[in-house]
Amino acid sequence: MLDRFSSQADLYARYRIDYPAALYDWLLPQVPGRTRAWDCATGNGQVAAVLAEHFGQVEATDISAAQLAQAARQLNITYQQAPAEHTPFADASFDLVTVAQAVHWFDMAAFNAEVHRVLQPGGVVAEWGYGLLRISPALDPLVQHFHNDTMRPYWDDNRWHITDEYARLSFPFAEVQTARFEVRRQWSAEWFLNYLRTWSSVVKYQQQHGQDAVLLLSEEVMRRWGAGEREVVFPVFARAGRR
């Protein structure tokens, strides 16, 4: 797994969404134990922080030291740099494994093998992500064109697994459950534009051209957005299975 998010770690920590309480209300009753959880590709630790309220110990890993540096420290969370596919954890040592908005970057065969190794029998693995946000009829076509057309040469192929909600990514676990949620936020145009700067495609564009790709649409976004804040809606999809 390549590190695509270190260079924008500070923006990522501030402008990326967190996940709705309803997602955890759906997930946690499926988990048989509350001893240990592993949040894989934890980024700035937002999922790990929620899990820490429910588990005795949370292990949180990421390949990006810059992302981990942004994470809030808690006594029962241990952060360490490690790839998703190869971890230092003992066999059958977790009740739950979570991956938020990241599994599409993994070597899936190796990661699934690692999950089978570290989960206890009956333990649960949950993977979720979120698609392109919706704002308004005036703004959505502009954002869709930027995402699907302008940025297309700069997205890794893995990105399109988000579009089909991981349907092409193997999930060799039992008792599979799926669910959908929404995240709703009130954002200013400036906040939205900074969110776009967390996209891996925008970072790649900057690296290749030495320019900020968000400037290609910022003026038109500001014009259509108007003053004040608007509601933005992110569709969230999730799946969970049992070892």
Side-chain angles (χ1 to χ4, degrees):
M1 177 180 173
L2 296 174
D3 181 357
R4 298 169 175 84
F5 299 100
S6 284
S7 62
Q8 71 271 41
D10 54 342
L11 290 172
Y12 203 99
R14 185 173 185 188
Y15 295 108
R16 281 291 177 121
I17 62 170
D18 54 7
Y19 302 102
L23 186 155
Y24 299 101
D25 292 342
W26 165 79
L27 171 61
L28 291 172
Q30 301 181 51
V31 184
R34 291 288 188 275
T35 304
R36 296 182 80 221
W38 168 30
D39 184 38
C40 179
T42 194
N44 55 51
Q46 58 173 262
V47 173
V50 176
L51 297 180
E53 299 173 7
H54 301 275
F55 290 83
Q57 176 64 30
V58 175
E59 301 291 338
T61 62
D62 203 282
I63 61 169
S64 169
Q67 285 279 359
L68 293 172
Q70 299 288 331
R73 267 41 192 177
Q74 294 181 222
L75 290 177
N76 64 333
I77 303 177
T78 300
Y79 293 101
Q80 58 183 311
Q81 201 171 356
E85 302 85 354
H86 304 285
T87 69
F89 306 128
D91 294 355
S93 56
F94 291 105
D95 303 293
L96 173 66
V97 175
T98 57
V99 189
Q101 194 71 357
V103 74
H104 51 289
W105 301 117
F106 297 172
D107 175 333
M108 289 304 300
F111 175 66
N112 287 332
E114 187 71 347
V115 171
H116 274 283
R117 184 183 71 80
V118 303
L119 267 183
Q120 294 184 10
V124 169
V125 55
E127 301 168 353
W128 63 88
Y130 54 88
L132 190 63
L133 79 172
R134 304 187 305 272
I135 308 168
S136 73
L139 282 155
D140 289 350
L142 181 66
V143 178
Q144 289 164 5
H145 177 74
F146 183 69
H147 179 277
N148 297 336
D149 300 311
T150 308
M151 288 293 99
R152 179 172 284 276
Y154 306 96
W155 287 116
D156 291 86
D157 288 342
N158 307 60
R159 164 67 191 181
W160 306 108
H161 289 299
I162 291 287
T163 305
D164 61 15
E165 299 186 350
Y166 293 167
R168 291 177 290 122
L169 295 181
S170 63
F171 197 62
F173 301 97
E175 301 177 35
V176 174
Q177 304 288 324
T178 61
R180 287 182 173 83
F181 309 93
E182 287 186 340
V183 173
R184 295 177 177 269
R185 296 287 183 269
Q186 293 292 323
W187 280 3
S188 65
E190 180 183 13
W191 193 279
F192 166 69
L193 294 171
N194 279 320
Y195 159 73
L196 295 183
R197 292 184 172 99
T198 71
W199 287 5
S200 61
S201 60
V202 171
V203 173
K204 184 180 285 187
Y205 185 98
Q206 173 75 39
Q207 291 169 344
Q208 291 188 13
H209 301 286
Q211 297 175 342
D212 179 5
V214 174
L215 297 179
L216 299 173
L217 80 164
S218 58
E219 184 176 344
E220 186 63 17
V221 165
M222 298 290 285
R223 188 184 71 79
R224 297 189 191 190
W225 197 285
E229 296 182 338
R230 285 180 176 266
E231 182 179 66
V232 301
V233 181
F234 287 87
V236 178
F237 59 90
R239 63 185 185 181
R242 196 176 303 279
R243 179 189 166 193

